[in-house]
Amino acid sequence: MSEFAFELELCAHLEGRREGIVARQLGASVADPGGRILDVVRVEPGPAFDERAAITSEAIPDPAIAADVGTGRARYWKDAFDCHPDRAQRTMERACEVGFFERELRNRRDYVRQTARYPDWYGRILGIENKPDLERPGDLEAQLRTDVSLALVDEIVLATESYVTRAHLHRIPDEVGVWRVHRDADAGDSSGLDDADASSLEIEVVREPTPLSVDRPGIEPLESHPGRTEIDVVDADAKARARRRLAERAYGKGWRTYDFPDCGACRPDDSSGATLPYCAWKGRVVDARSECGPSCGGYNPRPSDAASAESDSGVDLEAERDRRTPWVVEPEGRRRRQSGLDQFG
């Protein structure tokens, strides 16, 4: 099975089994942005999750959360940020666009206030590294050692379809949990979901993950050289900000970031409870961006009218996420319905 298909099916399974936010392909570095990408992230709801869901369906920019802007009197936006003015302006505009800030114009200057206080909305964060075939590990060991030493997420798990041997376990850090994923087309749902939500996957927990020290400084490996590795010590505050960015990105992005191919061999498949792009010619879920097109031997382009009809009756992935998860596609938002008197000040 391709890693892409494995990833989507695992996301669908996790989403149907526990409340929270599931997302994929998210940056999990601090000192080296983009240096580590987690395949799957699951964010458990915190005590004020509903308050977060009521603000916006999009990710809130972290500089806007950290800015000196409250819900009371509006503030001149340039005085509210401790960063480059260009970045501050982009952040301000985006925060207004997604509904976290509201803007007032005074003497041809933009003043902003938060539409709601930023809530304590997320709890534990689980990171999952997907490696269906352990015989082709790639940089698996180094990636997992980075996750453990940095400790940005509360727990890290390796998910695989391979039989897990003692030799495999010895090659990865003890703190990393291990799941073996089994595919069973006849598997029912033991948790009482409808048949349409029954997953064909079962997870065997080979080893439980050990909780990581997310509230303490971490070590992030940077570049490796013969005999030495460059590192950066990431303090607890920087990790806390990075965790908040990770949770926000997960909330805004989710895991349904794939396309459906414009090909007669591909059809939407909702047997997992979530709708995935299934190719009958390949016999599996496919990545339209990298696997589909005229170069594929099974490519069967739809006539233009058929393609149009398909798109008209296609899957609404946002509506599906809204229906299946606590994420809200169109929240009421917290913008004030009437202008405050202080706009005339």
Side-chain angles (χ1 to χ4, degrees):
M1 157 158 290
S2 72
E3 288 197 23
F4 179 80
F6 181 87
E7 189 166 291
L8 293 197
E9 293 185 9
L10 181 59
C11 286
H13 178 89
L14 293 174
E15 182 180 82
R17 260 71 190 158
R18 183 173 296 181
E19 189 177 66
I21 297 296
V22 178
R24 64 187 188 90
Q25 297 299 309
L26 297 179
S29 300
V30 181
D32 179 23
R36 176 70 174 110
I37 305 295
L38 285 174
D39 290 332
V40 176
V41 171
R42 187 181 70 198
V43 183
E44 296 181 0
F49 185 92
D50 290 343
E51 294 177 29
R52 170 62 185 85
I55 298 172
T56 176
S57 62
E58 304 285 347
I60 299 173
D62 194 69
I65 300 171
D68 188 13
V69 177
T71 57
R73 186 179 178 88
R75 207 166 168 206
Y76 180 44
W77 70 272
K78 285 187 177 180
D79 295 337
F81 291 89
D82 183 18
C83 60
H84 191 280
D86 290 345
R87 186 186 185 201
Q89 184 170 19
R90 290 194 301 270
T91 299
M92 183 271 291
E93 296 284 355
R94 181 58 180 165
C96 291
E97 181 182 343
V98 302
F100 184 58
F101 283 178
E102 61 182 356
R103 176 167 28 194
E104 298 174 5
L105 188 63
R106 303 179 190 171
N107 299 322
R108 292 180 291 184
R109 282 185 166 190
D110 283 321
Y111 284 68
V112 293
R113 63 157 58 89
Q114 289 183 7
T115 58
R117 296 189 185 280
Y118 188 75
D120 180 17
W121 71 268
Y122 59 90
R124 296 180 64 80
I125 302 176
L126 171 69
I128 302 172
E129 177 67 20
N130 295 326
K131 194 62 64 176
D133 184 1
L134 289 181
E135 299 308 310
R136 303 192 311 183
D139 295 330
L140 177 64
E141 184 175 352
Q143 291 169 335
L144 294 176
R145 291 195 181 281
T146 295
D147 297 332
V148 170
S149 64
L150 179 57
L152 186 63
V153 296
D154 294 275
E155 294 175 342
I156 186 74
V157 164
L158 166 66
T160 182
E161 284 190 311
S162 296
Y163 177 74
V164 182
T165 67
R166 289 186 178 179
H168 290 137
L169 293 177
H170 286 322
R171 287 197 293 268
I172 62 175
D174 293 340
E175 296 89 343
V176 177
V178 180
W179 292 348
R180 189 181 181 197
V181 179
H182 300 272
R183 182 168 287 94
D184 182 359
D186 298 324
D189 179 17
S190 61
S191 62
L193 297 174
D194 295 335
D195 291 342
D197 288 331
S199 173
S200 62
L201 299 185
E202 291 184 354
I203 293 178
E204 173 192 355
V205 178
V206 178
R207 186 170 76 189
E208 293 281 3
T210 300
L212 303 177
S213 300
V214 296
D215 56 350
R216 300 179 62 184
I219 303 295
E220 182 174 344
L222 300 176
E223 293 186 14
S224 295
H225 306 278
R228 66 185 178 89
T229 299
E230 295 181 15
I231 66 168
D232 192 89
V233 179
V234 181
D235 65 38
D237 289 342
K239 281 175 55 173
R241 292 191 297 270
R243 281 171 56 82
R244 185 174 65 196
R245 288 194 299 270
L246 180 63
E248 275 297 326
R249 184 62 174 145
Y251 188 90
K253 183 179 182 183
W255 61 272
R256 291 172 172 84
T257 56
Y258 47 87
D259 297 323
F260 286 83
D262 183 18
C263 173
C266 187
R267 60 177 175 80
D269 178 15
D270 61 0
S271 61
S272 66
T275 308
L276 307 180
Y278 179 84
C279 174
W281 189 77
K282 286 187 169 71
R284 59 174 174 81
V285 171
V286 292
D287 183 357
R289 298 174 187 176
S290 63
E291 299 184 83
C292 302
S295 61
C296 174
Y299 183 61
N300 178 22
R302 294 189 181 94
S304 57
D305 56 342
S308 176
E310 179 71 18
S311 63
D312 290 343
S313 59
V315 179
D316 186 340
L317 294 178
E318 283 196 340
E320 181 174 272
R321 186 186 182 197
D322 182 56
R323 184 175 66 252
R324 285 174 51 88
T325 75
W327 176 83
V328 179
V329 64
E330 292 185 358
E332 293 183 3
R334 298 295 180 85
R335 284 189 175 88
R336 297 168 187 258
R337 300 308 180 197
Q338 296 180 349
S339 297
L341 293 176
D342 60 356
Q343 68 174 306
F344 303 106

